[in-house]
């Protein structure tokens, strides 16, 4: 592996998707990636092997095609063995899923971005997710329509661990 891999540009059409890439990209997700590229630029290069095979960045390449881009930045990872390439295709996609969110910091970030008029859709979060972190939380009880008709549910029988008698857990005391 070279100490300082060079970022280069490659023709979008010359890039070869990994045929066994287990990660899928919906049209909606690719559109979000395209919106991100339009707003921020192509900041995350496509990682390729020495023969233009895509190791990481399949969604970014799909978004680049959607945007009509001719070239994208790439980073050569030609030092990887075949097994390492296959494993990295999985690891690159999976490792990010293990990260969590600091809800309070998200709330602050959304509020401050909203205050300066930034389009929060460009963060990749859905409107419902953003709304969950925005504004006041409503602790008022819902009405029957909001909650459903609990009295129409099937009985849920539970047994007393001491006497064995069965009770409907929905029963009022």
């Amino acid at each position: 592996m070279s100490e300082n891999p060079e970022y280069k540009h490659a023709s979008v059409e010359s890039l070869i998707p990994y045929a066994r890439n287990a990660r899928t990209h919906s049209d909606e997700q690719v559109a979000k990636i395209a919106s991100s590229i339009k707003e921020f630029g192509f900041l995350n290069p496509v990682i390729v092997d020495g023969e233009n095979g895509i190791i990481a960045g399949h969604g970014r390449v799909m978004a680049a095609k959607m945007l009509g881009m001719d070239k994208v930045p790439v980073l050569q990872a030609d030092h990887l063995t075949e097994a390492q390439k296959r494993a990295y295709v999985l690891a690159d996609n999976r490792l990010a899923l293990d990260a969590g969110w600091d809800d309070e910091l998200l709330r602050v970030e959304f509020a401050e971005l909203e205050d300066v008029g930034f389009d929060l859709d460009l963060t990749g979060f859905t409107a419902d997710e953003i709304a969950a972190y925005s504004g006041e939380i409503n602790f008022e009880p819902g009405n029957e329509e909001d909650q459903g008709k609990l009295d129409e549910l099937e009985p849920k029988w539970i047994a007393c661990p001491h006497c064995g008698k069965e009770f409907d857990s929905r029963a009022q005391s």
Side-chain angles (χ1 to χ4, degrees):
M1 173 172 78
S2 78
E3 288 183 29
N4 295 308
E6 288 185 43
Y7 292 91
K8 300 180 180 183
H9 282 83
S11 158
V12 172
E13 294 305 319
S14 72
L15 298 175
I16 305 162
Y18 178 51
R20 291 171 50 178
N21 183 24
R23 190 66 163 180
T24 61
H25 300 282
S26 68
D27 292 342
E28 179 183 7
Q29 191 227 5
V30 173
K32 284 182 178 183
I33 296 169
S35 293
S36 179
I37 291 169
K38 281 174 57 176
E39 178 69 21
F40 308 116
F42 209 112
L43 299 177
N44 193 1
V46 176
I47 300 173
V48 295
D49 61 17
E51 299 169 6
N52 275 351
I54 301 171
I55 298 172
H58 290 83
R60 293 187 296 280
V61 171
M62 293 167 74
K65 288 179 180 179
M66 180 183 280
L67 293 170
M69 296 176 73
D70 294 326
K71 292 185 178 283
V72 295
V74 297
L75 182 64
Q76 291 284 340
D78 51 6
H79 65 284
L80 299 176
T81 67
E82 280 302 310
Q84 287 176 321
K85 285 191 288 189
R86 291 171 58 195
Y88 190 76
V89 169
L90 299 173
D92 180 63
N93 287 295
R94 180 62 180 95
L95 293 174
L97 297 177
D98 288 337
W101 293 102
D102 181 316
D103 291 345
E104 189 54 37
L105 287 177
L106 265 180
R107 186 173 282 107
V108 169
E109 287 295 319
F110 286 143
E112 290 181 5
L113 286 170
E114 191 171 45
D115 286 346
V116 297
F118 194 83
D119 181 0
L120 296 180
D121 288 341
L122 292 170
T123 64
F125 286 83
T126 66
D128 287 342
E129 290 169 327
I130 293 167
Y133 291 101
S134 301
E136 295 296 317
I137 299 172
N138 179 1
F139 289 105
E140 293 297 317
N143 60 31
E144 186 174 61
E145 187 176 315
D146 293 335
Q147 300 297 314
K149 296 182 179 177
L150 298 178
D151 60 337
E152 294 179 5
L153 294 175
E154 293 292 319
K156 181 176 179 188
W157 296 99
I158 57 172
C160 173
H162 300 289
C163 69
K165 183 174 179 180
E166 290 192 339
F167 299 90
D168 179 355
S169 64
R170 300 172 310 122
Q172 304 271 336
S173 39

